[in-house]
């Protein structure tokens, strides 16, 4: 199946991507870094940095997280140790859940 030319995102997703992008841009400017400098450090193109900073939701989440780390934007926890602890707890919780979610079985027709 062909990929759609444009994908629609919820308002929440668009606003969250924009907030992250603007936060990254603000931190980059405060640190006096150019787009080219952070692009080189993250090993991505300047265009991708600009798309992330504009909040384009189709941008790579890994690249956005790397930019956030480079410019010092904390995404989840204030301390790296807390992030590691939270990650371990989430992994432990996921081991207790089913590996996959399946749709319920169709109802049995028992009207003889």
């Amino acid at each position: 199946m062909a990929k759609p030319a444009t994908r629609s995102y919820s308002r929440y997703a668009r606003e969250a991507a924009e907030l992250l992008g603007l936060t990254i841009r603000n931190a980059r400017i405060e640190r006096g870094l150019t787009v080219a400098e952070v692009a080189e450090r993250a090993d991505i193109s300047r265009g991708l940095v600009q798309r992330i900073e504009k909040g384009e939701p189709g941008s790579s989440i890994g690249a956005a997280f790397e930019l956030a780390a480079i410019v010092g934007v904390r995404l989840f926890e204030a301390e790296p140790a807390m992030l590691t602890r939270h990650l371990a707890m989430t992994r432990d919780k996921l081991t207790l859940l089913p590996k996959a979610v399946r749709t319920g079985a169709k109802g049995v027709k028992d009207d003889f």
Side-chain angles (χ1 to χ4, degrees), residues 60-100:
S60 163
I61 192 167
F65 283 7
E66 184 62 24
L67 287 180
I70 288 169
V71 298
V73 173
R74 297 279 185 192
L75 297 173
F76 296 102
E77 300 288 343
E79 296 295 323
M82 288 296 293
L83 177 61
T84 303
R85 191 172 315 136
H86 187 71
L87 180 59
M89 287 175 22
T90 303
R91 285 179 178 153
D92 289 344
K93 182 178 179 179
L94 283 172
T95 61
L96 301 174
L97 296 174
K99 296 280 183 211

Side-chain angles (χ1 to χ4, degrees), residues 2-109:
K3 186 176 180 181
T6 59
R7 182 165 195 269
S8 63
Y9 293 93
S10 68
R11 180 178 177 184
Y12 181 84
R14 289 190 315 269
E15 288 178 351
E18 183 179 5
L19 176 60
L20 177 58
L22 292 175
T23 304
I24 289 170
R25 178 178 161 82
N26 183 49
R28 177 183 59 78
I29 292 170
E30 285 179 352
R31 284 169 176 64
L33 298 170
T34 66
V35 170
E37 289 171 333
V38 294
E40 183 179 337
R41 287 181 62 184
D43 196 26
I44 60 176
S45 69
R46 291 188 320 253
L48 181 54
V49 173
Q50 292 167 338
R51 288 192 303 275
I52 290 169
E53 288 185 350
K54 287 179 184 173
E56 289 186 17
S59 301
S60 163
I61 192 167
F65 283 7
E66 184 62 24
L67 287 180
I70 288 169
V71 298
V73 173
R74 297 279 185 192
L75 297 173
F76 296 102
E77 300 288 343
E79 296 295 323
M82 288 296 293
L83 177 61
T84 303
R85 191 172 315 136
H86 187 71
L87 180 59
M89 287 175 22
T90 303
R91 285 179 178 153
D92 289 344
K93 182 178 179 179
L94 283 172
T95 61
L96 301 174
L97 296 174
K99 296 280 183 211
V101 176
R102 295 183 180 90
T103 58
K106 294 183 180 179
V108 177
K109 293 185 180 180

